[in-house]
Amino acid sequence: MAASWFSGQYVLSVVVLFLLLSSFPSSFDKVSCTEEDEMLPRIGIIGAGLSGTSSAYFLRQLFGKKATIDIFEAGKVGGRAAVININGLNYEAGASVIHKNNHYLVEFSQAFRKNTVRLSHSPGMVGLYGTDDILFQTSDWLAITLAKLVWRYGTDFYNIQSWTKNHIFPKFDRIYKFQDQGLSFTTVEDLLGAMGEDMLNMTKHSIKDVLLDAGLSQRFVDEFGMAAMRNNYGQTTDVHGFVGAVSMAGVEPGLWSVEGGNQRIAENLLWGSKATLVEAKVSTVALIKDELGTGSVSYEVEYEQSGKTNSREYDILILAMPLEGTKNEINFVDFPVKVTPFSQPFHKIVTMFVQGRINKTTFGLNSADDFPPDLFTINRDTFFNSIGKQSPVDSHQKPEKSPPSDYAVWKTFLNQVPSEEQVGKLFDKYEDLRFVDWMAYPEYKPNMDLPPFMLYDRLYYVNAIESAAAAMEMNVIGSKNVALLAFNQWQGNFDKIDELHLPSVSNDKSDL
Ligand SMILES: Cc1cc2nc3c(=O)[nH]c(=O)nc-3n(C[C@H](O)[C@H](O)[C@H](O)COP(=O)(O)OP(=O)(O)OC[C@H]3O[C@@H](n4cnc5c(N)ncnc54)[C@H](O)[C@@H]3O)c2cc1C
């Protein structure tokens, strides 16, 4: 940290020099402009998913149009937001739904309105699958659904919505406010603590305990709570309370996605940032300059492109991809300390797509048409987590061939690739069987390691935020934090790092 302070002083003295020089006429102007440009960092970003592209977008806003911003991508722009093509139509294969309260994603969809048409997801019929049958199902009729919910769960459904509304969303509003004011945090603990001490505390308890403490019934937690964790994170109500709360927020109505696929948000952010995309896999990050006490560091990024190894040098480096659970591991060399001293095992998720017909016998139904569009499982031992009927993301595409009239496209979430027999249990007739494997999100548990956002001087890790919760909006909150942190350290704005003393924020008493 001390090193960065010195660089802040350096920046300040150059600014003073610039001001002095700019008061002289003509011939000095050119010199001062060059010096101003020299003060701009060369920024490298590894990963062009939502985290990397939104980092580029925010960094451009902060550092201005002349800063060099390169973004490396080994696969496709969008990363875990990706589509799969079945019979000529695209479907969301990774991150599929966005919540109406996701401030940044809503903002991006408005900024790139022309390219980001929002598709709303109206809640259809939902079922819960117990040990070997559908034990609860909503109805097409709202009044009947409400009566069934009250019969089975009392006022729990109302209570969970008011819990997220009164206890969770206001805490997110706080972090948005902090970020609007340019405040940044070096660790996930500090960021969660700034949202509210109870947010940090939730990472120390299971969501099961958090929900029971909030007054929800054991039955609701074991059924709806479990269904949400299995569907959203492939895990159970043993996950920690913060990620569990993010997952429960999906119970609220008002979910949407982007026409053409959610990866479009990343594509638009990349375009909007005017960053240079380098389509290459980064293999090594080397610390090549580390002048103790001056804050002057630089990193050499080695990458593989068209069979050749190239390298580029940066003053600020942003890791916008999970360091664990990736097949594109990066070697960190010539650092005096280990920069990744944390272990964050990732949870594998398989998404299975079929075009086919539900096996009514397995689900005890008279007709496959009685199957709810979304079915969630609640038992740890059930081999699938959820099944959902899919709509294509693009209204302009046409199917390649007409499927049988009783077929639909179904997406099933599982923790491992199923056997043929298991597929047959779910679908009695099918074609286009496809699997997508994801190293999806961290394995969550109470008191797990929360990695820092800052791994070394001017080396930042956006995906540290995933230890709190992996979700597109969470990753964007992480990238905004890292962009502000990099900017504040570069500019010497140390009062905006890990500090909460801005008057308009500290006087805010809303729901604390
Ligand atoms: C199946 C599934 C369903 C999900 N559903 C939802 C949902 O409904 N709603 C929601 O909000 N979130 C959802 N998520 C979570 C969401 O996808 C993530 O939180 C978010 O997309 C993470 O974005 P990211 O940019 O941090 O990471 P990624 O999207 O993983 O991007 C990282 C990028 O870095 C690249 N990369 C990695 N290593 C290197 C290297 N060495 N060199 C160059 N490039 C590299 C990768 O190719 C990748 O493109 C889901 C995730 C999964 C897997």
Side-chain angles (χ1 to χ4, degrees), residues 11-24 32 35:
V11 170
L12 194 66
S13 52
V14 177
V15 170
V16 170
L17 184 68
F18 170 72
L19 290 175
L20 282 173
L21 289 175
S22 60
S23 63
F24 288 94
S32 54
E35 282 183 351

Side-chain angles (χ1 to χ4, degrees), residues 52-332:
T53 53
S54 59
S55 294
Y57 186 76
F58 292 131
L59 286 161
R60 178 65 72 207
Q61 289 177 335
L62 291 162
F63 283 100
K65 61 179 180 210
K66 287 190 178 167
T68 301
I69 306 180
D70 293 342
I71 180 160
F72 294 87
E73 175 51 58
K76 280 196 179 158
V77 173
R80 277 171 278 170
V83 290
I84 185 170
N85 191 282
I86 312 257
N87 188 23
L89 303 176
N90 285 339
Y91 298 88
E92 292 290 0
S96 37
V97 289
I98 299 170
H99 194 274
K100 65 177 191 299
N101 287 15
N102 287 171
H103 176 97
Y104 289 127
L105 294 172
V106 169
E107 192 179 295
F108 297 155
S109 77
Q110 281 160 354
F112 304 108
R113 197 172 312 144
K114 212 168 73 169
N115 300 326
T116 320
V117 177
R118 282 157 67 174
L119 305 173
S120 71
H121 289 237
S122 47
M125 271 198 326
V126 167
L128 296 183
Y129 184 75
T131 313
D132 48 20
D133 63 347
I134 297 175
L135 56 82
F136 176 81
Q137 190 163 333
T138 59
S139 157
D140 278 341
W141 299 85
L142 182 63
I144 297 179
T145 295
L146 289 176
K148 284 174 116 181
L149 284 170
V150 172
W151 176 256
R152 193 162 181 92
Y153 304 108
T155 55
D156 283 343
F157 220 76
Y158 168 79
N159 294 342
I160 188 69
Q161 295 200 20
S162 74
W163 182 73
T164 48
K165 184 162 166 243
N166 297 323
H167 293 279
I168 306 299
F169 296 141
K171 303 299 162 62
F172 274 85
D173 288 345
R174 280 183 62 106
I175 204 69
Y176 295 133
K177 246 183 237 167
F178 286 137
Q179 295 194 328
D180 278 351
Q181 303 196 29
L183 298 184
S184 56
F185 303 92
T186 45
T187 65
V188 174
E189 276 99 331
D190 285 328
L191 186 140
L192 294 182
M195 292 171 87
E197 267 315 303
D198 50 345
M199 296 293 107
L200 180 57
N201 271 337
M202 285 209 295
T203 65
K204 303 187 169 118
H205 304 277
S206 69
I207 186 65
K208 183 169 43 191
D209 291 344
V210 168
L211 292 177
L212 290 173
D213 275 2
L216 290 143
S217 71
Q218 187 77 49
R219 175 183 263 184
F220 180 84
V221 174
D222 290 345
E223 296 184 0
F224 263 94
M226 195 71 162
M229 303 314 139
R230 282 178 65 79
N231 178 60
N232 295 337
Y233 291 101
Q235 297 170 55
T236 68
T237 47
D238 296 336
V239 300
H240 69 61
F242 186 86
V243 68
V246 168
S247 186
M248 291 311 290
V251 172
E252 288 247 314
L255 301 177
W256 58 278
S257 64
V258 171
E259 160 118 20
N262 291 330
Q263 83 290 346
R264 288 240 166 119
I265 307 176
E267 290 163 5
N268 286 331
L269 287 166
L270 177 64
W271 175 82
S273 73
K274 305 281 177 276
T276 305
L277 177 67
V278 185
E279 291 178 273
K281 179 189 157 205
V282 171
S283 50
T284 306
V285 168
L287 178 66
I288 53 171
K289 188 166 97 186
D290 187 12
E291 291 175 4
L292 204 62
T294 67
S296 182
V297 289
S298 51
Y299 296 101
E300 187 180 61
V301 168
E302 222 173 77
Y303 59 98
E304 288 149 28
Q305 203 176 30
S306 320
K308 281 200 200 133
T309 303
N310 295 321
S311 66
R312 293 191 190 186
E313 198 179 318
Y314 297 101
D315 307 300
I316 292 176
L317 189 61
I318 295 186
L319 308 174
M321 25 74 73
L323 286 169
E324 306 273 332
T326 170
K327 53 182 186 310
N328 298 317
E329 261 185 38
I330 297 175
N331 296 318
F332 293 90

